[in-house]
Amino acid sequence: MGRAPCCDKTKVKKGTWSPEEDASLKNYLEKYGTGGNWIALPHKAGLRRCGKSCRLRWLNYLRPNIKHGGFTEEEDNIIYTLYGKLGSRWSVIASHLQGRTDNDVKNHWNTKLKKKLMTAQSSNNISSPKVDTIGSTTSMHMVPPTEARGTPCFSSLPHYGLNTNTQTLIHDPTHYPLPQLNEVCEFGASHVKKIYGTQSSSQDFTRVSGFSSLATDNNYVPWTGGELGFSMEFGSSSAIWGQGTISGEFGVSCPNFVNSFYAETKPLGLHQSVSYHMDY
DNA sequence: AAGCACTACAACCGCAGTGTC
DNA sequence: CGACACTGCGGTTGTAGTGCT
């Protein structure tokens, strides 16, 4: 048995809200609040709308102190930074911006910031492979830092293959094994260390050997598996390369999204093999 | 002036998490 | 403890507005 629909779709109005509907909803909520039940609210407020629709309209538009459009450069920077750290957790990102909603931030990212970022990256004279996946439900994006782009290591990386169908650069752990540590050092990374074994929490990022130290604040690395690869620092940025099996997710802190690697996998299944995507 | 393309934003949909019975 | 109801979230789609030809 499937889930019962939240409302009768044939009886509710859809589409753009009229000023009258806005006024009805606003008046009702200012008088009575939600009553802890959005589903029953439209009927009480005399609206032919789905409760979810009412909730969205209130939260994204009618609620007091909501700002629309006109994102400042400072807000853009906060979004870049938090997106680098958190990914598309729009509600969390929005909570750092006064008067902004998750929908607003999401739209702003999709319509402006993402394009701005891509323009900035393409102006660094780099070809534009797209994200791809090789027999895996895991995805990983890597955005190389400015200081590493265009260096010989990226232009002649032997461990990557080009998918001629999709024109995407791919990393196949079987046919193109991870580079050796000394090769990775040639990537322009200031600090490189090899990571082994099982990572279980953000605090447990210590089973490593290699060079120097890498700040792991804000990194969350719950995974299991064998030898994983390397973590690297590029100036103020950091990156992780991995190989093996992963369950859970891992992300990389990006102090400055534009100038950093970004790596992420999503928890879509257990013991996924990892594929690598150069996304720049 | 009409038609088309593009952009920005609003709104919807489906799913996951959580609470309640 | 399972079923259901409700909320919140992120991805996607729809639509109005604007600019260009």
Side-chain angles (χ1 to χ4, degrees), chain A residues 138 140 142 160 171-173 176-179 195 221 223 226-232 239-246 250 252 263-265 272-277:
Chain A
T138 301
M140 177 185 250
M142 287 186 171
Y160 285 77
H171 180 246
D172 179 341
Y176 305 96
L178 278 176
I195 308 169
V221 194
W223 68 45
E227 181 175 323
L228 286 163
F230 310 98
S231 68
M232 293 178 280
I240 290 179
W241 280 19
Q243 180 173 310
T245 58
I246 284 185
F250 92 69
V252 178
E264 176 185 59
T265 68
Q272 300 156 332
S273 61
V274 181
S275 62
Y276 302 88
H277 312 277

Side-chain angles (χ1 to χ4, degrees), chain A residues 1 20 32 58 75 110 140 164 173 221 246 249 256 277:
Chain A
M1 188 181 86
E20 291 77 24
Y32 307 107
W58 172 254
E75 287 176 313
N110 285 331
M140 177 185 250
T164 51
V221 194
I246 284 185
E249 58 184 338
N256 181 334
H277 312 277

Side-chain angles (χ1 to χ4, degrees), chain A residues 4-243:
Chain A
C6 62
C7 54
D8 186 343
K9 306 282 183 193
T10 61
K11 291 180 181 171
V12 298
K13 189 180 167 215
K14 287 165 75 169
T16 311
W17 281 65
S18 67
E20 291 77 24
E21 287 176 310
D22 280 347
S24 296
L25 180 62
K26 198 158 185 256
N27 287 340
Y28 183 87
L29 284 166
E30 283 171 354
K31 264 186 188 172
Y32 307 107
T34 66
N37 188 341
W38 282 104
I39 302 297
L41 189 145
H43 179 68
K44 290 178 188 169
L47 290 162
R48 284 180 55 237
R49 290 277 181 175
C50 170
K52 283 175 78 168
S53 179
C54 292
R55 176 185 161 270
L56 210 63
R57 184 66 180 167
W58 172 254
L59 292 177
N60 289 336
Y61 202 83
L62 299 175
R63 195 161 45 114
N65 305 320
I66 292 289
K67 283 193 272 181
H68 292 288
F71 278 78
T72 66
E73 203 169 321
E74 190 185 350
E75 287 176 313
D76 286 354
N77 289 335
I78 292 170
I79 295 169
Y80 276 129
T81 303
L82 292 175
Y83 186 90
K85 285 181 182 177
L86 305 166
S88 57
R89 297 171 67 186
W90 302 118
S91 60
V92 180
I93 294 172
S95 70
H96 287 77
L97 301 167
Q98 187 122 32
R100 300 294 186 186
T101 68
D102 54 350
N103 209 36
D104 236 11
V105 174
K106 180 172 59 183
N107 283 332
H108 185 55
W109 173 267
N110 285 331
T111 57
K112 294 197 184 141
L113 299 186
K114 195 160 76 177
K115 287 173 190 167
K116 210 166 143 188
L117 183 65
M118 286 166 78
T119 304
Q121 285 168 358
S122 63
S123 70
N124 275 296
N125 208 20
I126 293 288
S127 58
S128 301
K130 295 184 183 68
V131 173
D132 198 2
T133 302
I134 310 164
S136 164
T137 49
T138 301
S139 66
M140 177 185 250
H141 312 265
M142 287 186 171
V143 181
T146 302
E147 53 266 51
R149 289 183 206 134
T151 58
C153 56
F154 276 98
S155 56
S156 60
L157 186 59
H159 308 283
Y160 285 77
L162 182 67
N163 181 330
T164 51
N165 291 328
T166 59
Q167 287 299 302
T168 56
L169 199 60
I170 56 177
H171 180 246
D172 179 341
T174 305
H175 299 99
Y176 305 96
L178 278 176
Q180 296 302 306
L181 190 59
N182 61 341
E183 293 177 283
V184 177
C185 291
E186 293 167 8
F187 270 57
S190 56
H191 301 127
V192 179
K193 60 185 177 182
K194 206 165 186 177
I195 308 169
Y196 297 95
T198 301
Q199 309 297 328
S200 59
S201 76
S202 60
Q203 304 304 313
D204 181 18
F205 196 68
T206 55
R207 290 182 60 193
V208 296
S209 64
F211 306 89
S212 189
S213 62
L214 178 69
T216 57
D217 289 348
N218 301 319
N219 288 343
Y220 51 105
V221 194
W223 68 45
T224 61
E227 181 175 323
L228 286 163
F230 310 98
S231 68
M232 293 178 280
E233 276 186 329
F234 293 88
S236 61
S237 309
S238 61
I240 290 179
W241 280 19
Q243 180 173 310

